[in-house]
Amino acid sequence: MSLPAVEVHAPSRLHFGMFSFAQPGVRQFGGVGAMVGQGTLRLRIEPAERFVAVGPLAERVRATVVRFAQVRGLAEFPACRVQVVAAPKEHVGLGVGTQLALSVSAGLNAFLGGDPLDAESLAALSGRGARSAIGTYGFAQGGLLVELGKLADEVLSPLECRVDLPAAWRFALVCPGDQRGLSGEDEQVAFRDLPPVPRETTERLWQEVREELIPAARAAEFERFGESLYRFGYAAGSCFAARQGGPFAGSRIAELVAAIRELGVRGVGQTSWGPTIFALLEDQATADTFQSQLASWLPAGDKIAIVAPNNAGASVMRIDA
C-alpha cells in the first residue's frame, strides 16, 4: 500500500505585543495575536525514493526534518519529497518561520500515519515556542489568542483564552519593501539587551486585554476592539523603544500608523518586530476602499494585502493515492 500525499495550508500570524520580559520571578513574554488568511503558506509532501526538499525555504525545511527525525528517533529521514508551494516573505512580522516548521512537522506526522498533534506536541517536535506561543496555538486553532507567558520548565506558554474574530472583519497588511524585522541571533541579542518591562506596564497591558480587548472581540464590537488593539499595541511596543526608537520600528512606520489613523481607521499597529503594519477594517467593501486610498500614495515597492481572520488554524490533508 503506497503512502498518501499530504498537503498543509497554514495561515499567517499577527503578533500584537508581549506582556513582559526580563522580569525576575514571573512568567516571561506572553502576549496577544491573531491568525489571518488561509493557505498563505502551502506545503506538499509526497512519496519519493529518498528525502528531498524543494522550493523556497528548502534549507529551513531540511533543518526541521533533522529535528523531527531526532525527536522521533528515526534512523533515517522519511522517503518523501517536501515542496514549499507558496510562502509569504520572511522576517516581516508574519511568523513564517514558525508556520513553516509546524507545517513540516504536522505534515510529516500525517504522512507517516500519525494522529493529529496538539500544540504542545507540535512545539516539541518543531522546536518552536521558545518565546511566543501565539503562532503555535494559532496553527492548531486559529482565532484571537492570549497566552500567559512561560515558566522556565515549560515547553510552551499556557493559553489564557481564544476567541473567534468576526468573519466579516478584514486586516489590511502594509509592508514596506525596504525593511526587515529582527530574527535569529539579532533578536536574541535585542531581548538580552532590552531593559525589563516595568511591573506596572505588565499590569496595565493585562487590564487592557481582560477589560477591553477580549470583551470587545466576544461581543463583535468593532470600534471598541479597534481602539483597544491600538492602545495595547502602542503600550506593548513602547517596551521595545530602546531598540526601535519608539513604539514602532522607525519613524517611517510611525508616520504610516499616524496617517492611517487620520483616515479614521482605529485598529492600527505593528506586528511583531515589523515592518508590516495592520489596519483593521469592518468589512470587505471598507477594506477595498481603504486599499484604493492607501495605494495611491504608498511608495513604490510597498505592498498592501487584504486578508480575513482565520478562526480554524491550519489544514493538514491526506490525499490517498
Side-chain angles (χ1 to χ4, degrees), residues 128-185:
R128 308 305 294 190
R131 281 182 290 272
S132 171
I134 295 296
T136 304
Y137 287 117
F139 180 92
Q141 304 180 40
L144 174 71
L145 303 144
V146 182
E147 51 147 328
L148 285 173
K150 283 185 71 173
L151 298 176
D153 61 346
E154 290 177 326
V155 173
L156 197 66
S157 164
L159 185 65
E160 167 77 352
C161 70
R162 180 205 167 275
V163 180
D164 278 353
L165 289 176
W169 290 3
R170 294 292 183 267
F171 286 93
L173 306 182
V174 185
C175 182
D178 59 351
Q179 287 185 241
R180 293 290 182 275
L182 294 184
S183 63
E185 186 176 345

Side-chain angles (χ1 to χ4, degrees), residues 2-320:
S2 61
L3 291 172
V6 173
E7 289 191 0
V8 184
H9 294 181
S12 291
R13 179 230 63 201
L14 304 182
H15 201 294
F16 302 137
M18 290 181 166
F19 293 112
S20 67
F21 47 80
Q23 288 183 20
V26 301
R27 289 185 175 276
Q28 299 297 302
F29 310 115
V32 184
M35 306 307 288
V36 296
Q38 175 57 48
T40 52
L41 188 148
R42 300 198 301 276
L43 188 80
R44 183 176 176 87
I45 303 174
E46 52 194 7
E49 292 184 0
R50 58 182 178 81
F51 170 78
V52 61
V54 298
L57 308 176
E59 286 305 310
R60 297 195 69 163
V61 168
R62 184 176 181 84
T64 300
V65 175
V66 169
R67 180 183 175 90
F68 181 95
Q70 290 173 340
V71 174
R72 282 289 177 88
L74 302 179
E76 56 188 18
F77 291 173
C80 61
R81 180 180 187 269
V82 182
Q83 179 184 10
V84 178
V85 179
K89 187 182 296 185
E90 290 186 280
H91 311 316
V92 296
L94 299 179
V96 173
T98 294
Q99 296 306 300
L100 177 66
L102 296 171
S103 294
V104 172
S105 299
L108 285 176
N109 174 71
F111 179 77
L112 295 175
D115 294 329
L117 300 172
D118 61 21
E120 188 165 316
S121 298
L122 279 170
L125 259 185
S126 62
R128 308 305 294 190
R131 281 182 290 272
S132 171
I134 295 296
T136 304
Y137 287 117
F139 180 92
Q141 304 180 40
L144 174 71
L145 303 144
V146 182
E147 51 147 328
L148 285 173
K150 283 185 71 173
L151 298 176
D153 61 346
E154 290 177 326
V155 173
L156 197 66
S157 164
L159 185 65
E160 167 77 352
C161 70
R162 180 205 167 275
V163 180
D164 278 353
L165 289 176
W169 290 3
R170 294 292 183 267
F171 286 93
L173 306 182
V174 185
C175 182
D178 59 351
Q179 287 185 241
R180 293 290 182 275
L182 294 184
S183 63
E185 186 176 345
D186 289 339
E187 185 180 30
Q188 294 175 22
V189 170
F191 274 110
R192 184 195 68 197
D193 294 344
L194 282 165
V197 177
R199 296 288 181 103
E200 56 270 23
T201 299
T202 297
E203 292 170 2
R204 189 168 72 251
L205 289 167
W206 271 113
Q207 182 179 19
E208 180 70 48
V209 169
R210 286 170 171 158
E211 296 183 6
E212 293 293 329
L213 191 72
I214 294 304
R218 285 178 172 150
E221 295 177 353
F222 176 78
E223 292 292 340
R224 180 186 177 193
F225 180 82
E227 286 288 4
S228 180
L229 190 58
Y230 173 76
R231 288 193 301 266
F232 178 85
Y234 192 97
S238 296
C239 300
F240 294 84
R243 178 69 190 222
Q244 297 186 143
F248 305 110
S251 59
R252 185 178 171 211
I253 303 300
E255 290 166 3
L256 188 53
V257 169
I260 292 173
R261 292 269 293 176
E262 287 176 6
L263 290 174
V265 179
R266 314 320 298 164
V268 187
Q270 174 179 302
T271 172
S272 188
W273 290 103
T276 299
I277 64 170
F278 59 84
L280 180 67
L281 291 312
E282 195 163 12
D283 52 38
Q284 185 65 48
T286 307
D288 290 341
T289 300
F290 173 82
Q291 184 173 22
S292 297
Q293 287 177 313
L294 204 60
S296 65
W297 56 267
L298 280 178
D302 287 10
K303 304 294 184 182
I304 179 169
I306 306 298
V307 293
N310 177 293
N311 292 317
S315 62
V316 181
M317 301 163 285
R318 286 193 182 105
I319 305 169
D320 293 325

